[in-house]
PDB file of all heavy atoms in Angstrom:
ATOM      1  N   LEU G 301      -8.549  35.106  -3.593  1.00 96.00           N
ATOM      2  CA  LEU G 301      -7.372  34.960  -4.441  1.00 96.00           C
ATOM      3  C   LEU G 301      -6.800  36.289  -4.900  1.00 96.00           C
ATOM      4  O   LEU G 301      -5.514  36.437  -5.136  1.00 96.00           O
ATOM      5  CB  LEU G 301      -7.756  34.130  -5.710  1.00 96.00           C
ATOM      6  CG  LEU G 301      -6.643  33.726  -6.656  1.00 96.00           C
ATOM      7  CD1 LEU G 301      -5.535  32.991  -5.933  1.00 96.00           C
ATOM      8  CD2 LEU G 301      -7.192  32.886  -7.805  1.00 96.00           C
ATOM      9  N   GLN G 302      -7.618  37.298  -5.132  1.00 96.00           N
ATOM     10  CA  GLN G 302      -7.104  38.607  -5.549  1.00 96.00           C
ATOM     11  C   GLN G 302      -6.179  39.122  -4.544  1.00 96.00           C
ATOM     12  O   GLN G 302      -5.046  39.622  -4.849  1.00 96.00           O
ATOM     13  CB  GLN G 302      -8.333  39.559  -5.681  1.00 96.00           C
ATOM     14  CG  GLN G 302      -7.994  41.028  -5.882  1.00 96.00           C
ATOM     15  CD  GLN G 302      -7.232  41.362  -7.148  1.00 96.00           C
ATOM     16  OE1 GLN G 302      -7.555  40.870  -8.173  1.00 96.00           O
ATOM     17  NE2 GLN G 302      -6.272  42.341  -7.088  1.00 96.00           N
ATOM     18  N   LEU G 303      -6.471  39.039  -3.254  1.00 97.00           N
ATOM     19  CA  LEU G 303      -5.604  39.430  -2.148  1.00 97.00           C
ATOM     20  C   LEU G 303      -4.338  38.632  -2.141  1.00 97.00           C
ATOM     21  O   LEU G 303      -3.216  39.157  -1.898  1.00 97.00           O
ATOM     22  CB  LEU G 303      -6.337  39.325  -0.820  1.00 97.00           C
ATOM     23  CG  LEU G 303      -5.480  39.591   0.474  1.00 97.00           C
ATOM     24  CD1 LEU G 303      -5.095  41.042   0.591  1.00 97.00           C
ATOM     25  CD2 LEU G 303      -6.272  39.111   1.702  1.00 97.00           C
ATOM     26  N   TRP G 304      -4.493  37.275  -2.292  1.00 97.00           N
ATOM     27  CA  TRP G 304      -3.334  36.384  -2.181  1.00 97.00           C
ATOM     28  C   TRP G 304      -2.284  36.727  -3.293  1.00 97.00           C
ATOM     29  O   TRP G 304      -1.087  36.695  -2.995  1.00 97.00           O
ATOM     30  CB  TRP G 304      -3.767  34.967  -2.387  1.00 97.00           C
ATOM     31  CG  TRP G 304      -4.594  34.434  -1.299  1.00 97.00           C
ATOM     32  CD1 TRP G 304      -4.922  35.016  -0.099  1.00 97.00           C
ATOM     33  CD2 TRP G 304      -5.348  33.164  -1.277  1.00 97.00           C
ATOM     34  NE1 TRP G 304      -5.753  34.200   0.627  1.00 97.00           N
ATOM     35  CE2 TRP G 304      -6.039  33.077  -0.066  1.00 97.00           C
ATOM     36  CE3 TRP G 304      -5.494  32.175  -2.239  1.00 97.00           C
ATOM     37  CZ2 TRP G 304      -6.851  31.982   0.191  1.00 97.00           C
ATOM     38  CZ3 TRP G 304      -6.289  31.050  -1.858  1.00 97.00           C
ATOM     39  CH2 TRP G 304      -6.987  30.975  -0.723  1.00 97.00           C
ATOM     40  N   LEU G 305      -2.793  37.057  -4.538  1.00 97.00           N
ATOM     41  CA  LEU G 305      -1.901  37.254  -5.561  1.00 97.00           C
ATOM     42  C   LEU G 305      -1.368  38.655  -5.639  1.00 97.00           C
ATOM     43  O   LEU G 305      -0.189  38.850  -5.961  1.00 97.00           O
ATOM     44  CB  LEU G 305      -2.685  37.056  -6.905  1.00 97.00           C
ATOM     45  CG  LEU G 305      -2.967  35.646  -7.353  1.00 97.00           C
ATOM     46  CD1 LEU G 305      -3.966  35.641  -8.507  1.00 97.00           C
ATOM     47  CD2 LEU G 305      -1.799  34.810  -7.692  1.00 97.00           C
ATOM     48  N   ASP G 306      -2.180  39.625  -5.288  1.00 96.00           N
ATOM     49  CA  ASP G 306      -1.729  41.001  -5.510  1.00 96.00           C
ATOM     50  C   ASP G 306      -1.695  41.870  -4.308  1.00 96.00           C
ATOM     51  O   ASP G 306      -1.412  43.078  -4.322  1.00 96.00           O
ATOM     52  CB  ASP G 306      -2.649  41.650  -6.571  1.00 96.00           C
ATOM     53  CG  ASP G 306      -2.042  42.819  -7.314  1.00 96.00           C
ATOM     54  OD1 ASP G 306      -0.824  42.863  -7.489  1.00 96.00           O
ATOM     55  OD2 ASP G 306      -2.834  43.693  -7.664  1.00 96.00           O
ATOM     56  N   GLY G 307      -2.083  41.293  -3.079  1.00 97.00           N
ATOM     57  CA  GLY G 307      -1.989  42.085  -1.838  1.00 97.00           C
ATOM     58  C   GLY G 307      -0.510  41.938  -1.333  1.00 97.00           C
ATOM     59  O   GLY G 307       0.377  41.533  -2.015  1.00 97.00           O
ATOM     60  N   PRO G 308      -0.384  42.170   0.017  1.00 97.00           N
ATOM     61  CA  PRO G 308       1.011  42.006   0.584  1.00 97.00           C
ATOM     62  C   PRO G 308       1.518  40.582   0.417  1.00 97.00           C
ATOM     63  O   PRO G 308       0.697  39.633   0.522  1.00 97.00           O
ATOM     64  CB  PRO G 308       0.734  42.352   2.082  1.00 97.00           C
ATOM     65  CG  PRO G 308      -0.518  43.231   2.053  1.00 97.00           C
ATOM     66  CD  PRO G 308      -1.380  42.671   0.931  1.00 97.00           C
ATOM     67  N   ALA G 309       2.828  40.423   0.258  1.00 97.00           N
ATOM     68  CA  ALA G 309       3.399  39.127   0.116  1.00 97.00           C
ATOM     69  C   ALA G 309       3.752  38.554   1.461  1.00 97.00           C
ATOM     70  O   ALA G 309       4.948  38.477   1.847  1.00 97.00           O
ATOM     71  CB  ALA G 309       4.658  39.244  -0.753  1.00 97.00           C
ATOM     72  N   ASP G 310       2.693  38.248   2.248  1.00 97.00           N
ATOM     73  CA  ASP G 310       2.989  37.920   3.706  1.00 97.00           C
ATOM     74  C   ASP G 310       2.351  36.510   3.983  1.00 97.00           C
ATOM     75  O   ASP G 310       2.099  36.209   5.164  1.00 97.00           O
ATOM     76  CB  ASP G 310       2.416  39.010   4.569  1.00 97.00           C
ATOM     77  CG  ASP G 310       0.915  39.302   4.292  1.00 97.00           C
ATOM     78  OD1 ASP G 310       0.249  38.599   3.490  1.00 97.00           O
ATOM     79  OD2 ASP G 310       0.403  40.233   4.943  1.00 97.00           O
ATOM     80  N   LYS G 311       2.161  35.666   3.007  1.00 97.00           N
ATOM     81  CA  LYS G 311       1.478  34.408   3.252  1.00 97.00           C
ATOM     82  C   LYS G 311       2.238  33.184   2.625  1.00 97.00           C
ATOM     83  O   LYS G 311       2.763  33.295   1.525  1.00 97.00           O
ATOM     84  CB  LYS G 311       0.138  34.446   2.660  1.00 97.00           C
ATOM     85  CG  LYS G 311      -0.848  35.464   3.279  1.00 97.00           C
ATOM     86  CD  LYS G 311      -2.176  35.568   2.516  1.00 97.00           C
ATOM     87  CE  LYS G 311      -3.023  36.600   3.087  1.00 97.00           C
ATOM     88  NZ  LYS G 311      -2.481  37.982   2.968  1.00 97.00           N
ATOM     89  N   LEU G 312       2.252  32.134   3.335  1.00 97.00           N
ATOM     90  CA  LEU G 312       2.676  30.839   2.896  1.00 97.00           C
ATOM     91  C   LEU G 312       1.440  30.004   2.579  1.00 97.00           C
ATOM     92  O   LEU G 312       0.515  30.036   3.343  1.00 97.00           O
ATOM     93  CB  LEU G 312       3.497  30.114   3.978  1.00 97.00           C
ATOM     94  CG  LEU G 312       3.569  28.560   3.844  1.00 97.00           C
ATOM     95  CD1 LEU G 312       4.409  28.113   2.563  1.00 97.00           C
ATOM     96  CD2 LEU G 312       4.270  27.938   5.032  1.00 97.00           C
TER      97      LEU G 312
END
Side-chain angles (χ1 to χ4, degrees):
Chain G
L301 186 57
Q302 169 67 37
L303 172 72
W304 296 349
L305 287 168
D306 203 30
D310 54 7
K311 296 173 182 65
L312 160 64

